[in-house]
Amino acid sequence: RHLASPFVFTAMNQRVITSPAQMEKMMQELFVGPEAPLTDIHTEPEATVPTIFTSADTGYCDGTAKELYTLKDGGSMTMTTHWTASVVRQNGVWKASTIHLGLDPLDNPILRKAAKTTVMTLGFALLVGLVLGAFAMRLLSRAQPQATAGAGT
């Protein structure tokens, strides 16, 4: 109801959607079934520039959105995204004909979570390595024969 006919929607993962059936499929993948990662998305979009009209029936605008993703595992993630949209008036109603969503690829909560997980994994691996190394050294020191004083004289 908010999308024009035709429309182009580019999601944050750069997946391009051009039909209601594709949009429904993406929503099913995100929210339904055992592999679906999300249970909810809450979006608060805000235009950073008022719509610039290129004619009486078309315009474009951009802005940011604060998005809260509720994960199936019970966690949540908040992201600030950037969006650009083209709007058209169809049958007297303004609708989005193109929407492109973007996320900073170098500074976002997904990368921060991955970095934290990597550091924790490396720390755990280092601890396990130190414990196993100490255990191996102890075994090796017990297995070597002790030199006795005066032996071989």
Side-chain angles (χ1 to χ4, degrees), residues 27-42 68-77:
M27 292 297 130
Q28 292 289 320
E29 291 169 0
L30 289 174
F31 295 104
V32 180
E35 300 297 317
L38 303 174
T39 60
D40 190 40
I41 297 176
H42 177 76
L68 174 62
Y69 293 80
T70 305
L71 307 174
K72 190 174 253 184
D73 68 6
S76 65
M77 194 175 305

Side-chain angles (χ1 to χ4, degrees), residues 63-140:
T64 60
K66 184 175 181 183
E67 301 188 2
L68 174 62
Y69 293 80
T70 305
L71 307 174
K72 190 174 253 184
D73 68 6
S76 65
M77 194 175 305
T78 301
M79 296 185 224
T80 300
T81 59
H82 190 89
W83 55 266
T84 303
S86 299
V87 293
V88 295
R89 186 171 14 208
Q90 292 181 335
N91 300 319
V93 178
W94 286 100
K95 296 185 177 195
S97 60
T98 63
I99 300 173
H100 191 115
L101 301 177
L103 180 68
D104 185 340
L106 302 176
D107 181 23
N108 64 67
I110 298 168
L111 285 180
R112 285 191 291 278
K113 184 174 182 178
K116 182 179 177 183
T117 301
T118 299
V119 168
M120 291 176 62
T121 301
L122 290 174
F124 180 73
L126 177 63
L127 180 63
V128 168
L130 289 172
V131 169
L132 289 176
F135 182 71
M137 291 299 293
R138 186 172 171 104
L139 285 177
L140 288 173

Side-chain angles (χ1 to χ4, degrees), residues 1-16:
R1 79 185 164 154
H2 298 292
L3 295 173
S5 179
F7 71 88
V8 176
F9 174 81
T10 305
M12 272 193 303
N13 64 1
Q14 302 307 293
R15 183 174 177 180
V16 177

